Every structure is written in structure tokens, then in C-alpha cells.
Amino acid sequence: MSFGDTVRVAVRSLQGNLITQDEAIETIIDAAHNLCVDCENETRNNLKLAMATLERAVEDERRGPAEVTD
């Protein structure tokens, strides 16, 4: 469920007296935290990929040009 979906469900549940205001706030805070964690994980994975690419480029540079064989 997306952050927006979670907020809509929390608001509708509050309006329908299914949850308290404190519970709605806690639900939205949890959704925001999960959103941050997802972004953090994606950023971490992108950085790992960038570092691996950089390491390969450095290794390729150290080896020099590839020899062409016929």
C-alpha cells in the first residue's frame, strides 16, 4: 500500500469512528517511517551498485587496454 493510500485509509477510519485520532496519527507516522526506510534502502542499493561499477572501472584501468587477438 502506498503512503497516500495509508493516509486515506487512516482518515476514512477516523471519520468513521473506527480508530481514534491518536491511532490515525500513529498509522500515518508509521507509513512515513516506512517510506523513509524504502528510500534509504533504494539509495543504499544504488550506492553499492555505483561503487561496484567504479571498482570495476579502476580495475580495468589498472590492467590497461585489452589485447586484441585474431
Side-chain angles (χ1 to χ4, degrees), residues 14-32:
L14 178 62
Q15 290 171 336
N17 293 322
L18 299 173
I19 61 175
T20 66
Q21 183 175 357
D22 288 342
E23 290 170 327
I25 290 169
E26 192 62 35
T27 299
I28 293 168
I29 289 171
D30 287 345

Side-chain angles (χ1 to χ4, degrees), residues 3-46:
F3 177 74
D5 291 340
T6 301
V7 171
R8 281 188 285 282
V9 168
V11 169
R12 287 182 186 143
S13 297
L14 178 62
Q15 290 171 336
N17 293 322
L18 299 173
I19 61 175
T20 66
Q21 183 175 357
D22 288 342
E23 290 170 327
I25 290 169
E26 192 62 35
T27 299
I28 293 168
I29 289 171
D30 287 345
H33 173 74
N34 290 340
L35 180 65
C36 292
V37 169
D38 289 343
C39 291
E40 180 183 341
N41 289 338
E42 183 177 345
T43 300
R44 182 174 285 121
N45 289 337
N46 287 338

Side-chain angles (χ1 to χ4, degrees), residues 54-70:
L54 181 58
E55 288 171 2
R56 281 193 301 273
V58 168
E59 281 299 314
D60 289 348
E61 187 69 25
R62 285 185 184 150
R63 281 187 243 152
E67 292 182 25
V68 177
T69 58
D70 292 323

